[in-house]
Amino acid sequence: MSLPLSDQERRKQISIRGIVGAENVAELKRGFNRHLHFTLVKDRNVATPRDYFFALAHTVRDHLVGRWIRTQQHYYERDPKRIYYLSLEFYMGRTLQNTMINLGLQNACDEAVYQLGLDIEELEEIEEDAGLGNGGLGRLAACFLDSMATLGLAAYGYGIRYEYGIFNQKIRNGWQVEEADDWLRHGNPWEKARPEYMIPVHFYGRVEHTAGGTKWVDTQVVLALPYDTPVPGYMNNTVNTMRLWSARAPNDFNLRDFNVGDYIQAVLDRNLAENISRVLYPNDNFFEGKELRLKQEYFVVAATLHDIIRRFKASKFGSTESVRTVFDSFPDQVAIQLNDTHPAMAIPELMRVFVDIEKLPWNKAWDITKRTFAYTNHTVLPEALERWPVDLVEKLLPRHLEIIYEINQRHLDHIASLFPNDVDRLRRMSLIEEGGTKRINMAHLCIVGSHAVNGVAKIHSEIVKSEVFRDFAELEPDKFQNKTNGITPRRWLLLCNPGLAEVIAEKIGEDYVRDLSQLAKLHEFVDDDLFIREVAKVKQENKVKFALYLEKEYEVKINPSSMFDVHVKRIHEYKRQLMNCLHIITMYNRKAPRGWAAPGYHMAKMIIKLINAVAQVVNNDPVVGSKLKVIFLENYRVSLAEKVIPATDLSEQISTAGTEASGTGNMKFMLNGALTIGTMDGANVEMAEEAGEENLFIFGMRVEDVAELDKDGYNAQQYYDRLPELKQAVDQIQSGFFSSDEPDLFRDVVDMLFHHDRFKVFADYEAYVKCQEKVSELYLNSKAWTKMVIRNIAAAGKFSSDRTIKEYARDIWHVEPTDLKIPPPNEPREGAEDRTPNGTAARA
């Protein structure tokens, strides 16, 4: 239990977390007690902590609902261009504290809960993470929703309401074990089911071509039930919607032809339909062509496009009629962003709706479709790109395969007219890959069917243009853009690091929360001794707090004065956790002071086991003592990131140059006062541009060096023979020094490092170890270290997702953000009469 704040400390809290106000506090207490009563707990002595959490969550939700309705009314009346962000992942984490901050209720809630004799941090810890994502891509989507609401954009997030999110990771005897993430078992106080907008989604069947047009018939139907979650902007009363679809079997599913004996089985078979939204696929940066995954991808886009078209037809200045039957203005009213290729089936689906149902001519339908869609690419790894077998698509979505073939034929005809007799170019640019199993290249489909394609960091976008999709970029150079990723400062500073947020606000004011570029003002205070001490003090407090958490959760005592060197990534060879592990072994040998894996990924699991085996030896060596501790944090998730990031001194961003698209963890650490050790990869390049390369610990090969090494041929043995400390570390792994019970346990890892290491760990090892020596040297000079920290924080302004979304809005969606503040529910609507039908709430 955290220590309650003294009255003086509570009064000191400043207004970026909201004004306390006696009326606010009294109202919140009344709401809390009312909701506690509603849970049928008459006697507070028998209420559980979970009852208290739900009472608080429902109290805060009450303050959201009026703003949510007002926002949707506002959109319904003004009919702005809508932005639709389609993503198979939204890694939202916890909602309570984020909502309190964005509504300006944090301090009032702290006070109200304190007066009720409860601990708000304990209540916050009860909330389940909404882990509907694997990592960076899903968390980016969540940050983007926050920024779109904060910038007043009429935006919607569309995805799947997975019953089971990303698995809970347990470490047993050093090995990863997966457990189901039953995140909904206690209910979700933030969502609202909307059965009135339930939509049928079709699968299988066959295609009929008739004089009256093409029909997709004899299909299997699954119902898509929407659940809406409010997404509040920061202090602007805008509340947007994230709509997640849940699969439901229709009542007659498999029951049309049954005898009594088959009835039970027919009812049980309903699970087959509902499995579509049962579980999130845990593979990141690896494509698995499973039928259920393709069903998920089509399920979300079919339901979403039905919803988008319904809203387009009905949304016209408060009219109750479907006034829009002409689609010419569709791209002026609708922008759809595809978050990677996972929702790519939206392109043939929109064509199907336009051509087969709305009876538009092909050329017109295609023009509208291209002007509506834009595509974000998130990876250059070939094994991650989606390539669906034609046979599978033909079985599951026969009409869509016909449409994809037609799109491809017209596309190739166009290429052939520009490059006659260039058969190789046609093969490279085709949407269909021949040879062996015929496959549909979903990235090619996205590029051909979109008006804009973007990478997520400058270096990544350059590689996308010059290497991965070179032929397409040569054909349409203006289509390709860069939109460097960002993070929301509300969650990744105000929420997770209030101490630092307040120290900054006292120096430069509070406006930086909405305009992170104002952090540049901190350059004036780099030599301010008082500010240096305050920043160092906040970091130390965060480290003490995290050290206590580690002692409680992992039973490992660490010295809060030691450097907290943190490597937060999914376990993947290109992220090079193995290089970090080799450095740890090297430090151990010198006796020097100082993510998790997808279940199907064998090498990743071996890397986890190796790290834990090294930790077991290092942490129990009495000679090393407290000088070096290695801890593998199990079940890394958003709520754990919020604890570890503010306590970190050194952030590891050590992927092989040219492999990490962007990264956003690097930005979170930078904003929270960690220094970065990293390669010139992803957004590290732009971080070095912003802060000055001398203020990061940059090492290792650049992209051109990697290319040169590939040309010459990478020989791991040369580095092993030349570097004694590398040889010693590798020999220890190979000989069973870290696995005495099973000396050959890590043979596959060593074999990979010598013979199959595409990511060249040994090539950067020497530079990495030398760079780490520079890190250790600077860390001994606390003042110089903190000055470098301040320079990094001052340079972090570019990496706000608000900046990223403004660029998407201006360059891709062609909409303008607004700082208009919608009046809250307790104030009149500024002379705007209620033009919604019968004065009711606007449609969703």
Side-chain angles (χ1 to χ4, degrees), residues 547-610:
L548 290 170
Y549 172 82
L550 288 180
E551 190 177 346
K552 176 171 167 272
E553 295 295 322
Y554 296 88
E555 297 178 353
V556 177
K557 276 195 171 183
I558 59 170
N559 179 357
S561 299
S562 63
M563 185 198 305
F564 285 16
D565 177 348
V566 176
H567 198 168
V568 165
K569 298 281 172 190
R570 283 186 59 107
I571 308 290
H572 195 292
E573 287 161 67
Y574 87 86
K575 294 177 185 285
R576 300 204 292 192
Q577 285 90 353
L578 279 171
M579 190 160 70
N580 194 343
C581 194
L582 289 170
H583 173 244
I584 290 166
I585 295 169
T586 301
M587 282 201 295
Y588 171 71
N589 290 332
R590 292 177 179 181
K591 301 290 187 275
R594 118 105 158 138
W596 42 259
Y601 188 29
H602 168 71
M603 187 53 64
K605 286 192 165 185
M606 291 307 303
I607 292 168
I608 289 173
K609 175 62 176 173
L610 175 60

Side-chain angles (χ1 to χ4, degrees), residues 99-113:
T99 303
M100 292 191 294
I101 285 170
N102 280 9
L103 294 186
L105 288 173
Q106 174 87 66
N107 281 343
C109 284
D110 284 356
E111 181 64 29
V113 170

Side-chain angles (χ1 to χ4, degrees), residues 349-605:
E349 172 66 6
L350 188 58
M351 284 298 290
R352 185 187 71 83
V353 172
F354 282 161
V355 173
D356 294 357
I357 298 170
E358 301 294 344
K359 306 299 182 188
L360 268 61
W362 180 280
N363 287 343
K364 185 173 187 179
W366 183 240
D367 175 63
I368 293 169
T369 296
K370 275 189 75 164
R371 287 164 54 211
T372 299
F373 284 109
Y375 158 55
T376 301
N377 172 274
H378 282 278
T379 183
V380 298
L381 297 181
E383 65 267 33
L385 295 172
E386 291 194 299
R387 296 176 163 94
W388 286 106
V390 163
D391 291 349
L392 176 59
V393 177
E394 186 172 35
K395 180 176 83 163
L396 197 67
L397 303 166
R399 178 58 180 143
H400 296 76
L401 182 64
E402 290 185 351
I403 290 168
I404 290 167
Y405 275 153
E406 180 70 19
I407 292 169
N408 193 43
Q409 187 58 57
R410 290 168 183 250
H411 162 62
L412 292 180
D413 289 347
H414 176 59
I415 303 301
S417 70
L418 296 172
F419 303 95
N421 305 318
D422 193 343
V423 177
D424 204 45
R425 185 181 293 267
L426 290 177
R427 180 189 56 75
R428 293 195 308 265
M429 296 185 74
S430 176
L431 273 54
I432 309 297
E433 296 179 353
E434 307 284 350
T437 305
K438 279 175 76 169
R439 294 176 177 274
I440 303 167
N441 186 313
M442 303 308 278
H444 289 185
L445 175 61
C446 286
I447 294 167
V448 171
S450 298
H451 70 275
V453 176
N454 72 281
V456 289
K458 277 184 192 171
I459 185 173
H460 168 237
S461 297
E462 204 45 54
I463 291 169
V464 162
K465 278 197 295 188
S466 62
E467 294 178 34
V468 187
F469 303 125
R470 180 178 172 179
D471 293 317
F472 293 93
E474 285 175 359
L475 187 69
E476 297 180 284
D478 294 343
K479 180 182 275 193
F480 288 79
Q481 307 184 16
N482 174 59
K483 296 288 170 276
T484 299
N485 282 345
I487 58 173
T488 168
R490 272 71 64 180
R491 184 176 292 266
W492 297 113
L493 186 58
L494 258 67
L495 184 155
C496 72
N497 203 343
L500 182 59
E502 290 174 12
V503 164
I504 292 169
E506 283 165 2
K507 282 293 181 195
I508 65 171
E510 300 168 13
D511 290 345
Y512 77 88
V513 180
R514 276 197 201 84
D515 176 14
L516 206 63
S517 66
Q518 293 192 26
L519 288 178
K521 294 176 185 175
L522 292 176
H523 282 299
E524 297 168 31
F525 303 103
V526 169
D527 297 313
D528 181 323
D529 284 347
L530 177 60
F531 187 59
I532 291 167
R533 282 199 300 275
E534 286 175 335
V535 170
K537 179 169 175 272
V538 166
K539 177 63 71 177
Q540 194 57 28
E541 286 169 353
N542 290 337
K543 289 172 72 174
V544 167
K545 189 174 180 181
F546 190 62
L548 290 170
Y549 172 82
L550 288 180
E551 190 177 346
K552 176 171 167 272
E553 295 295 322
Y554 296 88
E555 297 178 353
V556 177
K557 276 195 171 183
I558 59 170
N559 179 357
S561 299
S562 63
M563 185 198 305
F564 285 16
D565 177 348
V566 176
H567 198 168
V568 165
K569 298 281 172 190
R570 283 186 59 107
I571 308 290
H572 195 292
E573 287 161 67
Y574 87 86
K575 294 177 185 285
R576 300 204 292 192
Q577 285 90 353
L578 279 171
M579 190 160 70
N580 194 343
C581 194
L582 289 170
H583 173 244
I584 290 166
I585 295 169
T586 301
M587 282 201 295
Y588 171 71
N589 290 332
R590 292 177 179 181
K591 301 290 187 275
R594 118 105 158 138
W596 42 259
Y601 188 29
H602 168 71
M603 187 53 64
K605 286 192 165 185

Side-chain angles (χ1 to χ4, degrees), residues 573-715:
E573 287 161 67
Y574 87 86
K575 294 177 185 285
R576 300 204 292 192
Q577 285 90 353
L578 279 171
M579 190 160 70
N580 194 343
C581 194
L582 289 170
H583 173 244
I584 290 166
I585 295 169
T586 301
M587 282 201 295
Y588 171 71
N589 290 332
R590 292 177 179 181
K591 301 290 187 275
R594 118 105 158 138
W596 42 259
Y601 188 29
H602 168 71
M603 187 53 64
K605 286 192 165 185
M606 291 307 303
I607 292 168
I608 289 173
K609 175 62 176 173
L610 175 60
I611 293 165
N612 282 297
V614 171
Q616 184 69 20
V617 172
V618 171
N619 295 346
N620 292 295
D621 188 322
V623 179
V624 173
S626 63
K627 286 184 275 186
L628 182 63
K629 293 287 183 192
V630 182
I631 301 168
F632 186 92
L633 294 174
E634 72 178 14
N635 204 31
Y636 189 76
R637 57 203 183 280
V638 175
S639 57
L640 184 51
E642 291 161 7
K643 294 178 176 67
V644 69
I645 289 171
T648 297
D649 292 307
L650 185 68
S651 159
E652 300 269 352
Q653 308 295 330
I654 60 176
S655 53
T656 313
T659 60
E660 185 74 84
S662 168
T664 48
N666 44 7
M667 303 167 186
K668 291 160 194 164
F669 285 110
M670 184 188 200
L671 183 59
N672 281 275
L675 298 184
T676 301
I677 183 167
T679 51
M680 276 300 207
D681 196 24
N684 297 355
V685 177
E686 288 158 80
M687 287 162 55
E689 278 175 15
E690 294 295 306
E693 203 172 314
E694 68 279 6
N695 290 306
L696 281 77
F697 297 101
I698 298 293
F699 72 94
M701 297 179 289
R702 311 282 165 124
V703 169
E704 52 273 22
D705 302 321
V706 174
E708 194 65 30
L709 191 53
D710 279 330
K711 201 168 73 177
D712 297 342
Y714 168 63
N715 183 347

Side-chain angles (χ1 to χ4, degrees), residues 92-337:
M92 302 300 285
R94 291 170 174 163
T95 296
L96 174 60
Q97 195 180 356
N98 187 71
T99 303
M100 292 191 294
I101 285 170
N102 280 9
L103 294 186
L105 288 173
Q106 174 87 66
N107 281 343
C109 284
D110 284 356
E111 181 64 29
V113 170
Y114 175 80
Q115 289 184 17
L116 289 162
L118 298 167
D119 183 320
I120 196 160
E121 282 188 31
E122 279 188 2
L123 298 188
E124 288 163 355
E125 284 296 315
I126 289 166
E127 184 173 6
E128 299 279 347
D129 277 56
L132 307 186
N134 278 289
L137 177 144
R139 186 51 236 174
L140 182 80
C143 284
F144 279 4
L145 292 186
D146 180 273
S147 286
M148 288 189 279
T150 297
L151 294 169
L153 297 176
Y156 304 74
Y158 273 93
I160 294 179
R161 180 183 180 265
Y162 300 106
E163 205 174 307
Y164 295 91
I166 189 61
F167 61 88
N168 286 320
Q169 180 199 50
K170 301 291 180 192
I171 302 297
R172 304 253 166 83
N173 194 28
W175 293 99
Q176 169 173 293
V177 177
E178 300 90 32
E179 292 182 354
D181 170 38
D182 191 6
W183 72 288
L184 291 168
R185 66 190 179 279
H186 299 294
N188 177 2
W190 308 107
E191 67 181 9
K192 172 84 174 72
R194 304 299 300 271
E196 68 273 29
Y197 293 115
M198 190 140 60
I199 290 166
V201 176
H202 298 262
F203 294 100
Y204 305 108
R206 58 190 177 83
V207 181
E208 281 184 357
H209 295 278
T210 67
T214 305
K215 291 180 180 174
W216 183 19
V217 296
D218 296 339
T219 56
Q220 228 182 65
V221 174
V222 176
L223 299 175
L225 171 63
Y227 284 79
D228 288 356
T229 300
V231 180
Y234 179 68
M235 305 283 269
N236 65 349
N237 297 325
T238 294
V239 181
N240 284 341
T241 302
M242 176 177 69
R243 177 163 283 182
L244 302 181
W245 301 101
S246 181
R248 294 287 187 273
N251 283 333
D252 63 350
F253 185 81
N254 277 9
L255 291 176
R256 294 188 192 92
D257 305 302
F258 72 90
N259 56 44
V260 174
D262 293 336
Y263 169 69
I264 297 296
Q265 189 57 48
V267 173
L268 295 178
D269 283 348
R270 292 169 60 86
N271 277 335
L272 298 174
E274 296 177 357
N275 279 343
I276 290 174
S277 59
R278 193 82 68 203
V279 63
L280 168 75
Y281 269 84
N283 279 327
D284 190 49
N285 285 309
F286 183 75
F287 172 61
E288 251 189 320
K290 297 283 175 66
E291 182 173 338
L292 179 59
R293 173 65 172 187
L294 182 56
K295 275 187 174 175
Q296 288 182 338
E297 293 184 357
Y298 178 66
F299 173 76
V300 68
V301 302
T304 298
L305 286 172
H306 189 289
D307 222 30
I308 289 170
I309 290 167
R310 171 190 60 76
R311 196 177 286 115
F312 168 77
K313 286 180 173 180
S315 197
K316 186 69 175 172
F317 291 96
S319 168
T320 55
E321 297 169 15
S322 294
V323 295
R324 286 195 182 112
T325 52
V326 177
F327 286 91
D328 298 54
S329 66
F330 194 78
D332 301 321
Q333 290 298 121
V334 172
I336 302 176
Q337 191 70 36

